[in-house]
Amino acid sequence: MMEIKSFCDEVNAWITTAPSAEDLDSCDEYLRQLSAYYSRYTVISGMNESIYSQLLMMCIRDMPDEEYKRVKHSSTLTDFYIKGKYPKATAIFEQCRSVKHLLVITSDNYRTLLSSFRQERILVGHMTT
């Protein structure tokens, strides 16, 4: 569980180190690192899902009968019950899901920025020649 949290914290800290779009060599390296983080995320997210599923099973197994009767027909109530029972694990699980979103959005935005910057450089280059 701590490996997942460490990875999420590492990505959150790294994402703020993006170089300027004017430094294309650094941008290429940044995108390679982004791809490496996303690749590593796929492994981490599998571990994350597995751990959370195990917690879910243990929680349901150990749930008192009266509580089980209240939540058994509602996946939403069951989910809230688990989140209340294991708030720290839930926080890590949700943080991991957020990292995926962060990586995808950063990748899309950064590639768009670089594409626009390169097009601008090409246009300026044609205007000055």
Side-chain angles (χ1 to χ4, degrees):
M1 198 62 121
M2 292 316 293
E3 179 184 356
I4 296 167
K5 178 153 181 38
S6 295
F7 171 76
C8 293
D9 292 342
E10 181 182 331
V11 170
N12 283 322
W14 172 81
I15 212 87
T16 62
T17 66
S20 166
E22 295 174 359
D23 184 1
L24 294 179
D25 290 336
S26 294
C27 292
D28 286 341
E29 178 56 35
Y30 187 80
L31 286 173
R32 274 193 282 285
Q33 183 66 33
L34 182 68
S35 294
Y37 273 126
Y38 195 76
S39 178
R40 195 164 143 218
Y41 169 80
T42 59
V43 173
I44 294 287
S45 69
M47 291 169 43
N48 192 42
E49 290 284 338
S50 177
I51 290 169
Y52 197 74
S53 295
Q54 288 174 345
L55 283 175
L56 182 69
M57 286 179 16
M58 288 186 316
C59 189
I60 290 172
R61 180 194 67 208
D62 298 339
M63 194 181 291
D65 288 341
E66 281 303 310
E67 291 176 14
Y68 179 72
K69 287 177 188 175
R70 283 189 223 133
V71 301
K72 71 178 179 180
H73 296 296
S74 172
S75 60
T76 303
L77 287 177
T78 304
D79 193 45
F80 282 133
Y81 184 89
I82 303 305
K83 288 177 179 179
K85 187 86 169 169
Y86 299 107
K88 289 181 182 177
T90 299
I92 293 170
F93 180 74
E94 294 300 331
Q95 183 183 18
C96 190
R97 282 185 172 176
S98 295
V99 163
K100 176 186 179 184
H101 187 68
L102 179 66
L103 289 171
V104 169
I105 294 296
T106 301
S107 175
D108 290 348
N109 289 346
Y110 211 73
R111 290 176 202 275
T112 299
L113 172 70
L114 284 175
S115 177
S116 298
F117 184 74
R118 285 179 176 151
Q119 286 176 349
E120 183 179 308
R121 284 179 91 186
I122 290 169
L123 287 173
V124 169
H126 287 306
M127 295 170 101
T128 59
T129 57

